[in-house]
Amino acid sequence: MLLRGVSVAAVLLLLCVQCLHGSALPAVSSYEFTAYRMQQYNLVQQKHGCRGAIVVAEARSADEPVLTRRCVIMKVVDFTTEKYHEAQRQNAAAILILLPKNISSVPHDTVQSFMMSESEALLKETLMPVYVAPEDEQLLYMYEEVKQAAATRTSSIFIRVLRSMVTATAFQILVSNNVPIKAITDNAIVTLEGVLPGAWEDAPTIVITAHYDSYGLAPWLSYGADSNGSGVTILLELARLFQKLFSSPSTRPPYHLMFSLTGGGKYNFLGTKRWIEENLDHAESSLLHDNVAFVLCLDTLGNSDELYMHVSRPPKPDSPIHTFIQQLEEVVSSRFPWVKVGLVHKKINLVESTVAWEHERYSLRRIPSFTLSHVEDPKSELRGSILDASSQVDFRKLKRNGIIIAEALARYMYNLSDKGSPKDVQLFKGQMDFHDGRMSSLMSFLTSVPRATQLLDKEPSQMLLVNSLEHEFKRYLQQVHRHTFRQDKRDPDITFFDQMNQPIVMYRVKPAAFDLFLGGCIAAYLGIVYYAIQNFGYLYTKLKAAVKSKHQ
């Protein structure tokens, strides 16, 4: 009987060892990766983004009921406004969002939900560190483990305790940078301008402009394909095509065509503001000083079958803007009748310190202007997201929108209304067509690096991108100028902060209960060995008798 008891104890011990072996970690016990911190900046005395960077906490799933002093691990599908606010309410130590490498594989509804939550999170400041890291095998393994641990909360107490003691793996997240976060006020904002001179010197000027910077939850992951890589792509194609028309005296229209690419667009259009001030207040002569027909701002034009013209005041009949809008509507109704065109009137609130659209910067200086976009609401989540990648751009619609703008401009400048309908008179076809390959290449180039404002004058790849845009201007335009605006360090318009990308170490550890369980197993093993040695003669006699009786 005693022998049977010892055998049972030995078998149980072997099973426990097998369980331990089965829960062995598939990789090394620590793993270092780079994560990107949430935006942190001050704009017109308002603070935005997260103010913290240090994290020393155990990883937990967002499904856990208790998140206090824990690092909450989320995928894109998990990040919602409700879960974000719940983590804040429970004083979670941090949030780590895992970003898929292939954003095109994320369902459209999930993308929309994430963008809305992202936009809400960026409205206010938080002390809780928020990081975003691209998914990889190790991080996905951690996510699945903490997700499974959260699922066992609904199991019986015995199963939960057993799993916690034997098979559970805990993960410790560590960001140990002890250097305090520092403010950055020396950012330079670059604005580019170039001109296609009209038929005579005192001709009116049409300005086409777009901001080229991007915005999102994390600056290092903000590629801004639709907003506003699409606007920049169309602007550069317009410069190439109209350069052909302006190059010949016989086809040169009675208008100057000025192109402008502005920086700081995602931060109250500071580049536009400073460029207008320099042209109107400091320059002795400028096309903005003279007869400006209108300013056309291109913003977020890479998708949708809707086009909205945003104005600060309804255009007066027979005004240049009113005439151009009529031409644009005729092009759409004649060639693209399925596209919805709308006029959105939003007054500028002089009490507010921020503006919603780029054209409002011109309207404040009484320069007629409007913004063309497929976005109706200026607060739309589509205007700034880390999920705004090339997969969010429909190149057929991007090209269509470019053709609509080009044809409307040509009909306005050459007064083609009497020459026939837009369907009968098409300028931009054949060799004058928008080039698919070039538009795709431009978009790929613009989204090859993040274009966040705080990176554009600091990082070599971003500085090269701005230089390349200037080269494109010099290739097709005349009188190209590069304006570099620096802030007053004593009273900056915007203050950024450093430590936007951080090395994070993930440690795989066992819970404290595991040490007690392992100690118990070792003690039991030693006890069995000790008993077997002390009672070897007795056990040998019993075993010999058992074998002898079996043979008999």
Side-chain angles (χ1 to χ4, degrees), residues 480-509:
V480 175
H481 296 288
R482 176 178 179 142
H483 303 267
T484 302
F485 305 113
R486 296 193 178 275
Q487 301 189 88
D488 184 352
K489 293 185 178 181
R490 295 168 296 179
D491 185 24
D493 293 301
I494 184 168
T495 302
F496 295 112
F497 295 84
D498 63 2
Q499 299 186 31
M500 287 291 102
N501 55 333
Q502 293 274 23
I504 295 182
V505 181
M506 174 186 73
Y507 292 100
R508 293 177 172 87
V509 296

Side-chain angles (χ1 to χ4, degrees), residues 148-165:
Q148 185 178 353
T152 61
R153 303 296 177 190
T154 59
S155 306
S156 65
I157 295 178
F158 174 76
I159 294 177
R160 282 157 37 196
V161 171
L162 183 63
R163 185 184 186 279
S164 174
M165 292 178 63

Side-chain angles (χ1 to χ4, degrees), residues 34-261:
T34 300
Y36 304 95
R37 193 163 68 91
M38 180 182 179
Q39 291 268 5
Q40 182 184 0
Y41 64 93
N42 300 341
L43 180 65
V44 291
Q45 308 304 319
Q46 291 186 355
K47 297 180 179 180
H48 300 263
C50 71
R51 326 305 285 183
I54 297 176
V55 181
V56 182
E58 182 182 340
R60 288 291 178 89
S61 169
D63 299 331
E64 293 275 7
V66 179
L67 302 175
T68 305
R69 296 191 296 277
R70 300 291 189 269
C71 178
V72 186
I73 311 299
M74 299 182 181
K75 281 187 175 181
V76 166
V77 69
D78 303 318
F79 186 76
T80 63
T81 302
E82 293 74 17
K83 290 184 178 180
Y84 176 74
H85 288 322
E86 180 63 19
Q88 285 183 311
R89 188 187 68 81
Q90 292 199 37
N91 294 319
I95 289 179
L96 175 61
I97 302 170
L98 305 184
L99 188 69
K101 292 183 179 179
N102 184 12
I103 294 177
S104 61
S105 64
V106 182
H108 178 73
D109 293 344
T110 301
V111 171
Q112 292 296 107
S113 175
F114 180 89
M115 285 182 171
M116 292 178 64
S117 302
E118 179 184 18
S119 178
E120 286 286 330
L122 286 167
L123 290 177
K124 298 180 180 179
E125 67 169 328
T126 176
L127 296 175
M128 176 180 63
V130 179
Y131 286 94
V132 185
E135 289 179 355
D136 62 24
E137 185 178 355
Q138 300 291 338
L139 295 179
L140 288 174
Y141 172 78
M142 175 182 65
Y143 174 82
E144 294 300 332
E145 281 290 308
V146 297
K147 192 82 171 177
Q148 185 178 353
T152 61
R153 303 296 177 190
T154 59
S155 306
S156 65
I157 295 178
F158 174 76
I159 294 177
R160 282 157 37 196
V161 171
L162 183 63
R163 185 184 186 279
S164 174
M165 292 178 63
V166 181
T167 64
T169 300
F171 296 86
Q172 196 78 8
I173 305 298
L174 176 64
V175 180
S176 58
N177 190 349
N178 294 321
V179 179
I181 298 173
K182 296 180 181 179
I184 301 174
T185 58
D186 63 343
N187 282 85
I189 295 176
V190 174
T191 292
L192 305 172
E193 71 171 67
V195 178
L196 291 174
W200 52 79
E201 188 175 345
D202 58 349
T205 301
I206 296 174
V207 181
I208 303 176
T209 182
H211 67 87
Y212 61 85
D213 58 320
S214 58
Y215 183 75
L217 189 69
W220 276 98
L221 296 171
S222 303
Y223 293 90
D226 192 10
S227 180
N228 190 32
S230 60
V232 176
T233 298
I234 289 178
L235 183 144
L236 293 175
E237 268 294 85
L238 290 174
R240 181 182 70 86
L241 294 172
F242 276 95
Q243 186 269 341
K244 296 181 179 181
L245 295 174
F246 276 73
S247 61
S248 173
S250 61
T251 57
R252 189 175 301 154
Y255 288 90
H256 299 303
L257 200 53
M258 174 181 277
F259 294 86
S260 171
L261 285 176

Side-chain angles (χ1 to χ4, degrees), residues 505-529:
V505 181
M506 174 186 73
Y507 292 100
R508 293 177 172 87
V509 296
K510 287 292 184 180
F514 173 79
D515 295 333
L516 296 175
F517 179 78
L518 184 60
C521 290
I522 294 173
Y525 170 75
L526 293 176
I528 292 173
V529 172

